[in-house]
């Protein structure tokens, strides 16, 4: 290592003294015995203390005690090591402690420690400024346990420290000690304590602690060193040296055949010429030799360690720029060392995907190289191997290997000594491989992304040098077993470095240097194991400034100030240490165990946001999960993929939700994690990342069977019904009742259920399926307690369509009830609450019987399948639940309550409850490629899509040719599941030989849950369902607190009084009493502040809480009645105390006013209530979300004063399908404007509601309606939209006017919310998801292999025949000459096709009578389903082969068969009917009544003469999957076009004057218009051609109509959550930590909450801004004045644009003529911009550079010229 020696004056020595130091959990070592006695000052590295199971080690071994004097050129110092006999393993932790003392001044030196040749520590010494400096390094080396166990003969411990006494006399005296710890390890220490032994309780959980790397949680079984074999005898020790990038250090390695995991760990450090690689410029000649921060060769600042296996790339890392203690300015590092200097980082590369290649029984060559290296680098590696003790041989294969070349850009511009250079690079590599061992078949996927930049600028003839370097990496490792994600680790790293050095001549050959430096390391890590997820962030940064006088390359004197800040936080610990050094003295050394709101990062979301839109879900990531996206839980406004956000693009198997807290912008904060990894089918066209959608290809599989008869059918298999539903138990259908036509969840109920109104329930059917809906139609539900919560539950169930809802309530309506129960009005005060609600509930759905029950006893309960209690004592609840639990069959019991900002749910569905469909997702399928005659049989599938089967799954085979025995409908068990193959527990040796074809489909299996009754569950609650990881311990406390609150009510007959400290203390006392009685010990600490909030607001039922819990409980009732989706098991607790105002509330503020808002006042106080009433809000959309929001806001009193106002807009009208969710509408409102009806209904809820309803679409076209003054007066905007484009537009407007935007969306049982708060959070549009993958055009048109392809084709044909072609005809007839001219100008294949279709429509296929339409329909049938298939099979016969010799009709292609029309086939006749009717409509031909008569229609069809068809030679059929058009261009196109135009003009003369066609736009929701009949007919006939299973019209409507699944429960929950955030927005002063983004899936159930991600901050000089900022310039400026305005801020503008027009660009000389013109005049002249009268400013976009020519992104500039 090249170091600068230090000579300090006597004065400097006198000024130095002993400074205070911080002692971590490890004691400061005593100086070695050989150390001099004048030890003075400790040099420190402030990092996180080790995670230990106890204060004292079980035993310690002093391995080495040595004085390193003149050791240059000497081999390492060695000592024998044997494992300690007094504390043999296993050890929970092993620490290596290196303590040293410098006897005198000396250079800093590199050192390494090896154990049997494997490096376990690389470090540097400090650079001693004076004698006696001592230091210590403590490193967790538990990962090397296999080496530490040692063989009986012992191991060799070696240390290398190259020192020389030639120049300076300092001797380094070193002690090396190993400390061994026993006992359980835990990092669950309370947030208020440091991680010491007193706070570390016994446990064994997953950890993201930096000393416990996820890859080494279980130490390897074998470690193979890759190092210098000469090792202990070599002057280089075990170091390997790399001198240049072509110098590859190769080592031959052989790994055991039972290896199932492999990780390589690399140690590397730069020396000699490349010590300053990080500051190296890029130029052809060397810089001035006086430049202290350059290598000998100026080849740039990029270095990359590259690993190869057998010459094949296997991974790479960019080394962290470790600055040695003698580098840059040595005075910076006294007494705090530089980042990573004492414990230099090692770099891990997961090689598990390559294990299959290494298991070949032969040697393999491991190569280590270093891109752009110069002499020299020292490198070693350790290969960690995990061995299968139960297997002698392991199998594996590398199944994915994507290694694109590194995209690197090098630019340099030098003039003599001055200039600048830039090196930028990025790459994404992906590996995946499976390994089959005794642990199962495990697939490991690794994705590594690297972005790197190095910018160097030299000015002032070499006197000023600036360095800016940053590397960003994100490594995502996923482990799947049986296609389920069982583990994941994501590590995201950023390493910025900035150095600025100014030098001047110091005289006498000396140089005076002044340096500023910033160095940082930001690491965010999430580790997942099963459902356990932990998240941590680490931020280590140093800011330094100082001066030094250099002479002859040596530091003569100097000074340095350094502030070092280390911060670590995870779900339990927040550790912060700040050391401030001024002039070599420690001014501050503070360690702070401070944790505020801690949340975890989530991996498979947004974290993301789900959006109710026709294209699917939008997950943000933040990572959606927008953290909920950008630096997981997730968001960064730059690019979600390249930062911490959701992984996008490429191959994404499994679930991947990672969202992004920003450790740089807010290192004290992390974000929450999803508890459940979701399968990764995308919602159709959605913006969601890796979520299974209910739309798209796998929606609602057709019913295969049903358990109808006593049990004969069920005894053989658990066959699937209605997609993912299974009827009853496998062996006995009558026990539980699910699946029995006379028993629903145990209650007898004869008679057939009513037919499902598909128009009304289409969106709900897309979620539940017909079978679940039928069960709901037979279900009777009791709801006891009609407070706001009971009303919300009742509303959701009536909308869902249960058979009956019975209401019970013994309370009368009070005025305060009007703030939560929207069925009640002031006239109802004094009436029974249940009776007051009946009529309005009945209006929601006349098919549901709504009644009341005056008296309730257990004898009434058997009449119901589910009972819900919302306001019942615990004693009574235990009584009722005990009865329901023991009843045969059991009655589902649900207890729910909302107490202020707290809520709880308990579910008991009986001793054994069968869940027939756990998640509601469609069964997975695969296309068979081959099946072996073997035992067990091996099945391979085409690699079109990964199989999602897991070991133990049951599957059904169909369409198998050859081995037809598999088509018997018998479920078979899967084992050894792999990505594209699996084995069957079946002997097929005697089966027929497999020929081709075959579909394999998963049989979804039921799950039996054993619920505990309430009395048992209270004392043994099991695991609580969590919603917010920042409140990890909250559910246990609330579990006790709700019991204490019940006890208070029992003893005092009332709720605690709001603001009463006395009542609150009583609740706390009861809580403490209950806690102390818990067997095994309760909570160690009671949060009294939280209990004060619970007690104070417990009498209140808040509408947002009621809406949220109403959605949750309503969904649980549906589960209880149908067995669809996984129930809540069994307790769920929630609180939103972050919604409380920031300022403390006095008791007088909480006193009720005897008004309808009293429940809110006793929680939030009068001031916030006034703010709510005076708010000015804007709701965009009045569909399902909009109706819920209007109801919520009316109940909350938002905009309910003359000063307040709500504006709602929606340009849509009410349809029948809206009525199942949009509860403010009734059937008599169909066809009316949504916004108007909704506003009227909301005003009826609260007559004080000040609301204006508009029918304008919020878009650029209506900015004259929603003008600047409108926006400037708003307080908040609430989106209730159903499409992404509208959301993005609203987001842009909120950004522009800096208004809060509350965003939410739903997709089936999923919902999400996202808060967009000015200057606090990122905006909605901060990330975009990739477009949905589309099927190739040739697949859709000629080679479909699933029903989605057929429906896509059918929808395309509908639009082409019935909309596009008639429109083209009308365009031609409206202006023939202009149309002809346009076609001639186009002169391409598309123009030719258009003309051919128009001519065909008006000539050969023109219809004048309905019989003509029938003829057209019949001939189309022949063309589509017979002739085209004959031509296709003629061109490509069944035995045809590709150019490579493989069969052309290989899977997934399916060989088609032509259809023969049969008038007796109803499907054929229905197709002709729908086609003829629609054709007649386009030509304006009357439709006869007899068209619905099958016999008369068949007779008409029989009259059609169908010509014979002969296939043609030479017909070209597109087979290229990349083709975007089915038409081929021709050199004769123009000739053909001219000919077609002439024919068309001739044809037009025969048409009636004024003839026009009637284009038909597709409308899916009108079952009388034949649209879906035609599309379903087209798709099913095509499916029949290709032997694809056909579907019914309803499913065709879901897919072709792109229907978004929707239910009322998820909508209610989403809006309730948003309104909890609305309290915060309108109260103001809340920090970003108080807000919550949420993702929920009620089907699982899953709740994940995370604080939003802050916006990206851009800094320039002393200014900073975010996306929320907009710069305003006052005055009617000229362009020149605007440029000067920017120049005054250090910005050199080179381009100004307005809209899409360029107003000014410095590259165009003529633009200089515009400089003295007014900006607004230039915009008017060039961009044709007319600024409306209501607007006082013009917006321009300006592109700027700073003085160093770096592009600076500045905000939008608004020139206020009026």
């Amino acid at each position: 290592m090249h170091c600068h020696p230090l000579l300090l004056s006597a004065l400097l020595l006198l000024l130095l003294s002993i400074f205070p130091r911080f002692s971590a959990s490890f004691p400061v070592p005593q100086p070695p015995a050989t150390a001099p006695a004048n030890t003075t000052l400790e040099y420190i590295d402030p990092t996180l203390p080790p995670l230990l199971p106890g204060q004292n080690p079980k035993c310690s071994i002093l391995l080495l005690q040595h004085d390193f004097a003149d050791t240059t050129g000497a081999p390492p110092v060695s000592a024998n090591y044997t494992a300690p006999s007094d504390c043999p393993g296993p050890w929970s932790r092993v620490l290596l402690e290196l303590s040293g003392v410098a006897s005198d001044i000396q250079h800093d030196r590199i050192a390494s420690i090896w154990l049997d040749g494997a490096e376990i520590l690389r470090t540097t010494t400090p650079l001693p400024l004076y004698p006696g400096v001592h230091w210590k390094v403590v490193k967790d080396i538990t990962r090397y346990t296999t080496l530490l166990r040692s063989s009986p003969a012992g191991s060799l411990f070696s240390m290398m420290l190259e020192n020389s006494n030639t120049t300076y006399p300092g001797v380094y005296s070193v002690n090396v000690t190993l400390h061994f710890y026993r006992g359980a390890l835990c990092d669950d220490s309370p947030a208020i304590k440091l991680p010491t032994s007193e706070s570390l309780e016994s446990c064994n959980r997953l950890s993201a602690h930096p000393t416990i790397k996820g890859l080494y949680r279980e130490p390897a079984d074998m470690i193979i060193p890759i190092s210098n074999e000469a090792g202990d005898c070599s002057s280089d020790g075990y170091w390997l040296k790399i001198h240049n990038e072509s110098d590859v250090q190769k080592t031959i390695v052989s790994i055991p055949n039972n290896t199932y995991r492999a990780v390589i760990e690399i140690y590397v450090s730069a020396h000699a010429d490349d010590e300053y690689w990080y500051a190296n410029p890029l130029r052809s000649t060397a810089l001035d030799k006086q430049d202290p921060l350059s290598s000998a060769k100026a080849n740039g600042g990029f270095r990359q360690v590259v690993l190869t296996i057998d010459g094949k790339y296997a991974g790479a890392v960019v080394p962290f720029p470790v600055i040695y203690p003698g580098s840059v300015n040595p005075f910076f590092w006294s007494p705090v060392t530089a980042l990573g200097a004492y414990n230099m980082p090692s770099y891990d590369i997961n090689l598990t995907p390559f294990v299959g290649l290494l298991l070949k029984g032969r040697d393999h060559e491991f190569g280590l190289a270093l891109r752009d290296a110069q002499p020299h680098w020292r490198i070693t590696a350790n290969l960690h191997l995990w061995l299968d003790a139960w297997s002698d041989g392991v199998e594996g294969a590398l199944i994915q290997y994507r290694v694109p070349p590194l995209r690197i850009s090098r630019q340099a511009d030098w003039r003599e000594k001055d200039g600048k250079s830039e090196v930028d690079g990025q790459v994404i590599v992906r590996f995946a491989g499976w390994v089959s061992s005794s642990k199962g078949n495990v697939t490991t996927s690794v994705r590594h992304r690297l972005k790197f930049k190095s910018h160097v600028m030299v000015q002032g003839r070499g006197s000023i040098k600036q360095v800016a370097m940053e590397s960003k990496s994100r490594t995502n490792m996923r482990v799947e077993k049986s296609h389920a994600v069982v583990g994941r680790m994501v590590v995201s790293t950023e390493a910025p470095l900035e150095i600025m050095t100014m030098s001047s001549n110091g005289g006498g050959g000396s140089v005076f240097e002044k340096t500023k430096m910033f160095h940082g390391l930001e690491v965010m890590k999430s580790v997942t194991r099963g459902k356990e997820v932990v998240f941590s962030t680490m931020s280590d940064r140093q800011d330094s400034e100082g001066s030094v006088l250099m002479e002859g390359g040596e530091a003569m004197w100097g000074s340095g100030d350094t502030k070092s800040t280390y911060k670590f936080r995870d779900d339990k610990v927040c550790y912060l240490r700040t050391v401030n050094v001024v002039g070599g003295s420690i001014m501050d050394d503070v360690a702070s165990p401070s944790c505020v709101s801690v949340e975890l990062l989530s991996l498979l979301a947004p974290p993301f946001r789900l959006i109710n839109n026709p294209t699917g879900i939008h997950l943000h990531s933040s990572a959606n999960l927008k953290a909920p996206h950008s630096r997981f839980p997730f968001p960064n406004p730059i690019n979600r993929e390249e930062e911490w956000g959701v992984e996008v693009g490429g191959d994404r198997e499994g679930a991947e939700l990672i969202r992004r807290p920003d450790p740089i912008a807010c290192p004290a904060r992390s974000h929450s994690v999803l508890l459940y990894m979701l399968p990764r089918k995308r919602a159709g066209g959605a913006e969601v990342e890796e979520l299974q959608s209910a739309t798209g290809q796998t929606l609602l599989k057709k019913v295969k069977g049903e358990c109808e008869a006593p049990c004969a059918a069920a005894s053989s298999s658990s066959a699937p019904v209605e997609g993912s539903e299974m009827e009853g138990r496998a062996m006995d259908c009558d026990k539980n009742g699910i699946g029995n036509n006379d028993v629903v969840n145990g209650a007898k109920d004869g008679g057939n259920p009513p037919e499902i109104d598909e128009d009304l329930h289409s969106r709900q059917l897309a979620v539940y399926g017909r079978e679940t809906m039928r069960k709901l139609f037979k279900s009777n539900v009791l709801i006891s307690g009609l407070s706001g919560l009971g009303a919300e539950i009742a509303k959701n169930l009536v909308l869902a369509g249960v058979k009956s809802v019975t209401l019970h309530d013994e309370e009368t309506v009070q005025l305060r009830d009007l703030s939560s129960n929207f069925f009640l009005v002031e006239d109802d005060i004094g009436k029974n609450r249940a009776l007051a609600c009946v009529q309005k509930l009945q209006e929601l759905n006349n098919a549901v019987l709504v009644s009341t029950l005056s008296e309730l006893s257990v004898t009434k309960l058997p009449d119901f399948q589910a009972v819900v209690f919302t306001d019942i004592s615990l004693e009574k609840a235990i009584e009722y639940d005990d009865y329901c639990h023991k009843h045969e069959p059991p009655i589902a019991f649900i207890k729910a309550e909302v107490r202020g900002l707290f809520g709880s749910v308990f579910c008991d569905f009986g001793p054994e409850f069968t869940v027939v469909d756990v998640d509601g997702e469609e069964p997975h399928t695969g296309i068979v490629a081959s099946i072996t005659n073997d035992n067990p049989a091996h099945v391979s599938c085409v690699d079109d899509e990964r199989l999602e089967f897991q070991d133990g799954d049951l599957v059904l085979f169909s369409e198998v040719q050859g081995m037809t025995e598999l088509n018997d409908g018998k479920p078979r068990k899967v084992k050894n599941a792999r990505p594209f193959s699996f084995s069957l527990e079946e002997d097929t040796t005697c089966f027929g030989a497999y020929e081709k074809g075959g579909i394999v489909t998963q049989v979804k299996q039921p799950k039996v849950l054993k619920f505990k009754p309430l009395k048992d569950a209270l004392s043994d609650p099991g695991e609580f369902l969590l919603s917010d990881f920042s409140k990890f311990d909250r559910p246990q406390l609330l579990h006790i607190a709700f019991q204490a609150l019940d006890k208070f009510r029992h003893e005092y007959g009332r709720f605690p009084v709001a603001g009463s400290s006395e009542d609150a203390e009583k609740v706390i006392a009861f809580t403490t009493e209950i806690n102390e009685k818990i067997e095994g010990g309760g909570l160690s600490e009671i949060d009294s502040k939280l209990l004060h909030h619970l007690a104070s607001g417990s009498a209140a039922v808040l509408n947002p809480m009621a809406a949220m819990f109403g959605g949750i409980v309503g969904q649980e009732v549906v589960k209880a009645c149908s067995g669809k989706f996984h129930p809540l098991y069994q307790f769920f607790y929630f609180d939103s105390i972050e919604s409380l105002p920031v300022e403390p509330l006095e008791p007088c503020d909480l006193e009720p006013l005897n008004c309808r808002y009293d429940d809110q006042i006793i929680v939030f106080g009068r001031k916030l209530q006034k703010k709510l009433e005076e708010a000015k809000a804007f709701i965009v959309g009045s569909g399902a979300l909009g109706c819920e929001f209007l109801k919520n806001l009316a109940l909350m009193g938002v905009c309910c004063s003359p000063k307040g106002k709500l504006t709602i807009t929606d340009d849509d009208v009410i349809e029948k399908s809206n009525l199942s969710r949009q509860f403010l509408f009734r059937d008599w409102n169909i066809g009316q404007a949504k916004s108007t009806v909704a506003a009227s209904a909301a005003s009826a809820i609260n007559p004080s509601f000040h609301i204006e309803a508009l029918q304008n679409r919020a878009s650029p076209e209506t900015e004259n309606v929603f003008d600047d003054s409108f926006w400037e007066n708003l307080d908040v905007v609430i989106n209730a939209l159903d499409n992404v484009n509208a959301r993005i537009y609203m987001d842009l407007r909120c950004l522009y006017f800096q208004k809060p935007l509350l965003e939410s969306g739903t997709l089936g049982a999923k919902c999400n919310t996202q808060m967009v708060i000015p200057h606090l959070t990122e905006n909605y549009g901060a990330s975009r998801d990739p477009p949905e993958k589309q099927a190739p055009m040739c697949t859709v048109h000629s080679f479909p292999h699933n029903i989605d392809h057929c429906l896509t084709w059918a929808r395309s044909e509908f639009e082409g025949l019935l909309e596009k072609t008639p429109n083209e005809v009308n365009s031609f007839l409206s202006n023939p000459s202009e149309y002809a001219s346009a076609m001639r100008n186009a002169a391409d294949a598309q123009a030719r096709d258009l003309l051919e279709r128009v001519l065909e429509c008006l000539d050969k296929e023109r219809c004048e009578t309905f019989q003509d339409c029938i003829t057209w329909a019949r001939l189309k049938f022949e063309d589509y389903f017979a002739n085209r298939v004959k031509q296709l099979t003629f061109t490509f016969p069944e035995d045809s082969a590709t150019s490579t010799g493989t069969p052309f009709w290989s899977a997934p292609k399916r060989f088609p068969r032509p259809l023969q029309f049969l008038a007796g086939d109803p499907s054929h006749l229905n197709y002709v009917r729908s086609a003829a009717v629609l054709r007649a409509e386009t030509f304006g031909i009357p439709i006869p009544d007899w068209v619905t008569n099958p016999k008369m229609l068949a007779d008409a069809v029989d009259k059609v003469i169908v010509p014979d068809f002969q296939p043609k030679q030479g017909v070209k059929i597109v087979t290229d999957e990349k083709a975007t058009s089915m038409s081929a261009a021709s050199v004769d196109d123009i000739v053909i076009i001219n000919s077609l135009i002439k024919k068309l003009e001739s044809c037009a003369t025969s048409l009636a004057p004024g003839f026009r066609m009637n284009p038909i736009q597709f409308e899916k929701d009108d079952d009388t218009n034949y649209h879906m009949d035609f599309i379903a007919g087209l798709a099913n006939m095509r499916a029949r051609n290709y032997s694809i299973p056909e579907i019914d019209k309803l499913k065709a409507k879901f897919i072709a109509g792109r229907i978004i699944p929707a239910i009322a429960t998820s909508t209610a929950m989403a809006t309730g959550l948003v309104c909890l955030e609305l309290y915060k927005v309108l109260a103001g002063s809340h920090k970003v930590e108080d807000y919550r983004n949420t993702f929920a899936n009620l089907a699982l159930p899953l709740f994940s909450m995370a604080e939003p991600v802050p916006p990206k901050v851009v800094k320039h000089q002393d200014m900073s801004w975010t996306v929320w900022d907009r710069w305003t310039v006052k005055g009617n400026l000229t362009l020149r004045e605007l440029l000067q305005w920017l120049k005054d801020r250090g910005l050199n503008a080179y381009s100004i644009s307005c809209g899409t027009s360029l107003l000014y660009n410095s590259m165009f000389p003529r633009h200089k003529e515009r400089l003295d013109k007014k900006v607004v005049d230039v915009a008017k002249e060039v961009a044709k911009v007319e600024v409306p009268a209501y607007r006082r400013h013009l917006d321009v976009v300006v592109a700027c550079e700073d003085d160093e020519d770096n592009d600076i992104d500045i905000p939008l500039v608004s020139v206020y010229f009026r």
Side-chain angles (χ1 to χ4, degrees), residues 1106-1265:
M1108 173 192 170
F1109 275 80
I1112 295 172
V1113 176
Q1115 194 63 56
E1116 294 306 307
V1117 173
V1118 172
K1119 297 173 185 178
C1121 295
S1122 66
K1124 182 86 167 182
F1125 304 152
H1126 197 291
L1128 195 158
Y1129 189 75
Q1130 292 185 255
F1131 284 101
F1132 173 68
Y1133 293 98
F1134 173 84
D1135 74 86
S1136 182
I1137 58 171
E1138 307 83 19
S1139 297
L1140 289 171
V1142 174
E1143 66 273 10
L1145 296 173
E1146 299 297 331
C1148 59
D1149 293 332
L1150 302 176
E1151 291 179 3
L1153 299 175
N1154 192 30
C1155 68
R1156 66 187 297 153
Y1157 310 121
D1158 278 353
D1159 274 13
Q1160 282 190 153
I1161 291 173
I1162 66 175
V1163 175
F1164 299 102
R1166 301 176 182 179
K1167 293 180 182 178
L1168 180 54
Q1169 184 59 47
K1170 183 179 179 182
K1171 289 183 179 180
L1172 294 177
E1173 295 175 35
E1174 295 180 356
K1176 296 176 178 62
F1178 185 27
I1179 294 181
V1180 187
S1182 56
L1185 289 167
C1187 286
E1188 288 281 352
F1189 280 127
L1190 283 176
K1191 174 258 298 179
N1192 294 350
L1193 268 58
L1195 293 173
M1196 295 163 65
V1198 178
C1199 308
C1200 290
S1201 81
K1203 292 184 179 180
K1205 182 180 179 182
L1206 173 68
T1207 303
I1208 184 167
T1209 188
D1210 196 318
D1211 65 343
D1212 201 4
V1213 296
I1214 299 168
E1215 300 172 355
K1216 185 177 181 180
S1217 61
N1218 301 147
L1219 303 182
S1220 64
R1221 304 169 325 283
Q1222 301 171 21
F1223 62 93
L1224 295 183
F1225 308 145
R1226 303 292 179 264
D1227 53 6
W1228 57 82
N1229 297 132
I1230 293 175
Q1232 299 176 14
K1234 283 186 175 182
S1235 60
T1236 303
V1237 175
S1240 176
S1243 295
I1245 295 173
N1246 188 340
S1248 299
F1249 207 15
H1250 189 191
I1251 183 171
E1252 178 183 15
L1254 302 175
Q1255 288 81 50
N1256 303 95
R1257 181 189 297 266
S1259 66
E1261 292 74 26
T1262 59
E1263 288 182 6
N1264 61 326
V1265 178

Side-chain angles (χ1 to χ4, degrees), residues 38 457 590 629 752 768 799 892 955 1038 1146 1159 1266 1573 1635:
N38 61 340
M457 176 178 290
V590 180
H629 221 173
N752 295 321
Y768 294 144
L799 291 173
V955 295
L1038 293 181
E1146 299 297 331
D1159 274 13
F1266 308 111
D1573 300 84
Y1635 290 94

Side-chain angles (χ1 to χ4, degrees), residues 397-449:
L398 181 67
I399 58 175
Q400 184 186 44
Y401 182 84
R402 296 186 181 179
V403 185
L406 175 70
R407 290 183 294 169
I408 192 163
S409 168
R410 305 175 191 266
Q411 300 180 23
D413 181 16
W414 296 96
R415 293 173 180 84
E416 297 182 353
K417 295 183 179 181
D418 292 352
K420 64 179 180 179
S421 64
E422 298 180 359
V423 181
D424 296 85
Q426 62 177 329
V427 70
I428 301 176
V429 297
R430 295 180 176 91
F431 307 120
W434 60 265
V435 175
S436 182
S437 67
S438 65
K439 298 179 180 295
N441 188 287
V442 176
T443 298
T444 302
S445 303
V446 177
R447 180 185 186 274
H448 178 75
R449 175 163 192 158

Side-chain angles (χ1 to χ4, degrees), residues 80 86 315-316 325 365 626 656 969 1023 1037 1081 1104 1348 1380 1388 1493 1542:
N80 289 324
D86 52 342
E365 180 187 83
K626 263 162 190 150
E656 184 125 346
E1023 293 186 0
L1037 174 59
D1348 285 33
D1388 57 10
N1493 185 310
K1542 288 182 180 179

